[in-house]
Amino acid sequence: MKLAKVLLSNGERHIAIVEANGVQLLDLSQVENCHRMTDILHAPDPIGLAKFLIDTELPPVPFNQLEFLAPIDHQEVWAAGVTYKRSQVARMEESEAAASHYDQVYTADRPELFFKATPNRVCGPNQPVRVRFDSQWSVPEPELALVVSPDLRLVGYTIGNDMSARDIEGENPLYLPQAKFYKQCCGLGPCILLHEQPLDREATQIQLTIEREGEEVFRGDTSIAEMARGLEDLIGWLGKENDFPSGVILLTGTGVVPPDEFTLEDRDIVSIEISGIGTLINPIVKDAAP
């Protein structure tokens, strides 16, 4: 089952179950203290609750009569780095001085974890994500995102775009927060696939496509089978000496990295597709230097 936040053509916002040809709206007035998507996600039985909340008096809404919004309420967004071999190589290439650190963290028990975004810095489907004006080498990072409850249960999956200024991070690893954390630095969506059973790691493919002026300029793919770490392991490390009263969304790292000579430009279109979840599309915006 997939849940989404949607904006209807009449301006109404709803939580909905995503079906093959449209969405089924939910009536969140039926259960006390159930008013937001996270109230469903963090319930003991999210799937059962979502089915109970279906508004049977309303017909399904076709996709052409709605927009998908970022599937986030008040959660923090965190990210894991160097979880794929390709990411390890890329990070070592961009920062010669720190190459050994990236090599070591790839095989270490403790993963690299960093704060990525607050909800106001997250962009939904078809909303622009940003390249910093002071970066000359920035790329999208297509990632499986884990939706985690306050008690650290894996409750769902969505698609994340962890925008990254490779030149800023490569200049000095201590600049990582500036390379990763800024306005419009993260894309999420279009929906949340509720967790029913572990994902098939081989079958869960991640594909990144970048278009420029109507032409494809990059395409790459991987599967989460290429990850060196388990999903529950990453959640376990994130929860050590930390708590998340509103839940948390954890990006799990990237295995698709454009070549070193590539950088995003203003008005590029980034598409990230993950098997079983959908496709997240975001245009790129980069302002001129002030």
Side-chain angles (χ1 to χ4, degrees):
M1 178 186 289
K2 299 177 187 177
L3 284 185
K5 282 187 170 185
V6 298
L7 176 67
L8 304 186
S9 55
N10 63 5
E12 293 181 358
R13 295 174 181 241
H14 289 267
I15 308 302
I17 293 174
V18 181
E19 300 177 333
N21 299 310
V23 305
Q24 186 70 56
L25 302 182
L26 303 186
D27 178 7
L28 271 64
S29 67
Q30 299 185 66
V31 176
E32 187 178 3
N33 297 322
C34 184
H35 308 296
R36 300 176 300 180
M37 176 178 277
T38 44
D39 294 330
I40 301 173
L41 295 171
H42 301 164
D45 179 13
I47 293 175
L49 178 56
K51 289 179 178 178
F52 175 80
L53 293 172
I54 292 174
D55 194 331
T56 56
E57 296 184 1
L58 295 177
V61 181
F63 292 132
N64 62 4
Q65 295 181 20
L66 58 86
E67 297 177 23
F68 285 94
L69 304 174
I72 187 171
D73 288 333
H74 300 300
Q75 303 101 309
E76 297 175 356
V77 182
W78 285 66
V82 200
T83 57
Y84 290 78
K85 184 65 177 179
R86 181 65 188 93
S87 177
Q88 175 208 20
V89 171
R91 298 279 284 276
M92 291 172 69
E93 289 172 348
E94 75 188 17
S95 180
E96 256 184 65
S100 64
H101 298 301
Y102 295 121
D103 188 42
Q104 290 167 13
V105 79
Y106 180 73
T107 57
D109 287 338
R110 183 186 296 273
E112 178 193 21
L113 294 169
F114 56 90
F115 189 82
K116 174 60 186 177
T118 50
N120 64 299
R121 292 175 170 85
V122 171
C123 305
N126 300 309
Q127 294 182 325
V129 291
R130 178 172 294 275
V131 169
R132 294 179 59 117
F133 77 84
D134 53 352
S135 171
Q136 303 308 313
W137 184 21
S138 281
V139 296
E141 296 191 0
E143 307 190 15
L144 176 69
L146 309 181
V147 183
V148 181
S149 67
D151 57 355
L152 298 180
R153 287 182 295 121
L154 174 59
V155 296
Y157 312 90
T158 189
I159 301 172
N161 181 356
D162 174 16
M163 293 289 290
S164 183
R166 294 190 64 186
D167 51 351
I168 292 175
E169 181 185 358
E171 183 179 348
N172 190 316
L174 296 180
Y175 296 158
L176 176 69
Q178 297 173 74
K180 295 284 192 178
F181 183 68
Y182 53 91
K183 61 183 179 181
Q184 296 169 274
C185 65
C186 180
L188 287 178
C191 61
I192 293 175
L193 172 66
L194 295 181
H195 175 67
E196 299 182 69
Q197 57 189 7
L199 294 178
D200 183 328
R201 291 174 68 96
E202 289 287 350
T204 304
Q205 298 286 315
I206 302 175
Q207 182 178 89
L208 168 66
T209 306
I210 305 172
E211 295 182 5
R212 180 170 297 159
E213 297 181 350
E215 295 187 4
E216 185 178 295
V217 292
F218 177 79
R219 179 184 293 266
D221 59 77
T222 188
S223 76
I224 66 169
E226 299 299 317
M227 287 182 63
R229 298 182 183 273
L231 305 182
E232 296 285 358
D233 180 59
L234 290 173
I235 293 171
W237 279 103
L238 181 63
K240 288 183 185 295
E241 292 296 323
N242 218 334
D243 55 13
F244 303 97
S246 299
V248 63
I249 295 176
L250 175 60
L251 308 182
T252 57
T254 188
V256 183
V257 182
D260 290 354
E261 61 271 17
F262 179 88
T263 187
L264 288 168
E265 296 181 2
D266 189 50
R267 294 182 293 181
D268 285 354
I269 303 294
V270 174
S271 300
I272 302 170
E273 180 179 358
I274 299 184
S275 307
I277 301 176
T279 303
L280 172 65
I281 301 175
N282 297 106
I284 298 298
V285 61
K286 180 179 181 180
D287 295 334

